[in-house]
């Protein structure tokens, strides 16, 4: 009993660390741009804070450790770093959906269309059929959840492959946009480390 209590306590500390570190960074370095865009390029989207990524990776592992994840799926570019650090705790490969057509991407591919929140354009994401199969149990990881279009595109690819979706680990969810609600209503296990309830130039409030 004592051991269990201690473990719970330790888990709680780990959880608090990852979420608090991320929230502190958002508060101190995040910039709210027009159109509901949160700019976090000093630690997440351009320059990368590896200590923070490491805490986030550990936390995703704790949240999904009960499921037998065989692969992590993300989308280029910003999801890749977070997914790779997290993958070390799961000991599984990372597959990232490509946004560009490339000569290196040959053979059979799964594709899906994604409407970009930040660019306002629709683009095609591509994953080689070699790297996701019906045997896979997949955890999706991404940096942001806004309207949920990126997640819907990745889930579409998993459905085409017949793979099992374990859930999605998200660094920052903007709770005032509809993606999280819509996807949770479909029964998808979405775990976001920081959920922004409201934000403007003067303040950022978390759920
Ligand atoms: P969604 O598809 O959920 O509408 O948007 C998620 C994707 O758009 C993420 O992969 C992320 O790259 C980008 N994104 C959405 N909202 C934001 C934001 O406020 N800030 C940043 N930096 N990226 C965002």
């Amino acid at each position: 009993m004592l051991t269990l209590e201690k473990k719970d306590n330790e888990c709680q500390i780990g959880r608090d660390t990852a979420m608090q570190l991320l929230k502190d960074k958002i508060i101190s370095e995040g910039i709210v741009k027009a159109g509901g865009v949160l700019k976090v390029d000093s630690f997440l989207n351009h320059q990368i804070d590896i200590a923070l990524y490491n805490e986030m990776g550990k936390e995703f592992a704790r949240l999904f450790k009960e499921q037998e994840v065989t692969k992590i799926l993300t989308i280029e570019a910003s999801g890749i770093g977070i997914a790779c650090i997290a993958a070390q705790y799961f000991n599984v490969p990372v597959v990232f959906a490509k946004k560009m057509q490339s000569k290196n991407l040959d053979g059979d591919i799964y594709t899906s269309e994604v409407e970009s929140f930040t660019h306002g354009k629709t683009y095609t994401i591509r994953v080689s059929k070699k790297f996701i199969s019906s045997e896979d149990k997949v955890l999706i990881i991404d940096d942001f959840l806004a309207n949920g279009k990126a997640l819907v595109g990745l889930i579409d690819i998993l459905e085409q492959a017949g793979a099992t979706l374990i859930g999605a680990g998200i660094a920052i969810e903007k709770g005032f946009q509809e993606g999280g609600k819509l996807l949770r209503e479909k029964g998808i296990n979405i775990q976001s480390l920081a959920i922004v309830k409201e934000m403007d130039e003067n303040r950022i409030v978390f759920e």
Side-chain angles (χ1 to χ4, degrees):
M1 188 53 117
L2 194 64
T3 324
L4 253 184
E5 275 174 14
K6 187 162 173 273
K7 268 196 185 151
D8 283 351
N9 205 14
E10 280 168 0
C11 286
Q12 191 58 40
I13 291 167
R15 180 176 180 78
D16 289 349
T17 308
M19 306 212 307
Q20 201 51 54
L21 272 175
L22 179 58
K23 286 178 185 173
D24 289 349
K25 276 285 200 187
I26 295 170
I27 294 287
S28 60
E29 297 178 28
I31 299 166
V32 177
K33 309 285 284 184
V37 173
L38 178 60
K39 194 170 171 193
V40 286
D41 60 356
S42 64
F43 60 94
L44 203 87
N45 286 143
H46 195 0
Q47 175 169 260
I48 291 172
D49 182 330
I50 297 297
L52 173 65
Y53 268 36
N54 199 38
E55 290 303 325
M56 297 192 323
K58 269 194 253 175
E59 178 58 7
F60 287 135
R62 193 189 67 78
L63 288 165
F64 293 100
K65 69 170 186 269
E66 302 305 332
Q67 350 270 322
E68 272 175 56
V69 173
T70 65
K71 244 162 225 185
I72 292 179
L73 177 66
T74 188
I75 185 164
E76 67 177 356
S78 300
I80 298 174
I82 304 172
C84 287
I85 300 254
Q88 296 180 108
Y89 293 98
F90 290 89
N91 269 314
V92 299
V94 172
V95 177
F96 64 92
K98 297 197 176 208
K99 291 180 179 168
M100 301 286 185
Q101 180 62 285
S102 138
K103 283 184 183 150
N104 283 327
L105 197 59
D106 47 14
D108 274 355
I109 51 172
Y110 301 113
T111 64
S112 193
E113 300 298 308
V114 172
E115 191 188 312
S116 161
F117 173 74
T118 41
H119 299 108
K121 285 187 267 181
T122 297
Y123 57 91
T124 305
I125 57 171
R126 304 169 171 88
V127 172
S128 168
K129 289 190 179 176
K130 276 188 291 197
F131 300 128
I132 303 276
S133 80
S134 58
E135 310 278 289
D136 280 315
K137 295 178 183 166
V138 180
L139 171 65
I140 295 176
I141 284 191
D142 203 5
D143 59 341
F144 271 90
L145 171 57
N147 291 325
K149 308 286 185 188
L151 279 192
V152 167
L154 293 170
I155 293 166
D156 178 30
I157 282 179
L158 293 181
E159 282 170 356
Q160 293 174 48
T164 304
L165 171 65
I166 296 289
I170 302 292
I172 305 172
E173 175 176 342
K174 289 184 293 176
F176 53 87
Q177 289 182 255
E178 63 185 3
K181 184 171 175 283
L182 291 177
L183 290 160
R184 287 188 184 94
E185 275 171 7
K186 289 187 179 171
I188 296 166
N189 180 11
I190 296 180
Q191 300 287 340
S192 301
L193 301 183
I195 303 182
V196 176
K197 189 163 78 174
E198 43 188 272
M199 61 183 201
D200 59 32
E201 313 81 68
N202 304 314
R203 63 186 201 138
I204 298 173
V205 182
F206 297 101
E207 270 183 17

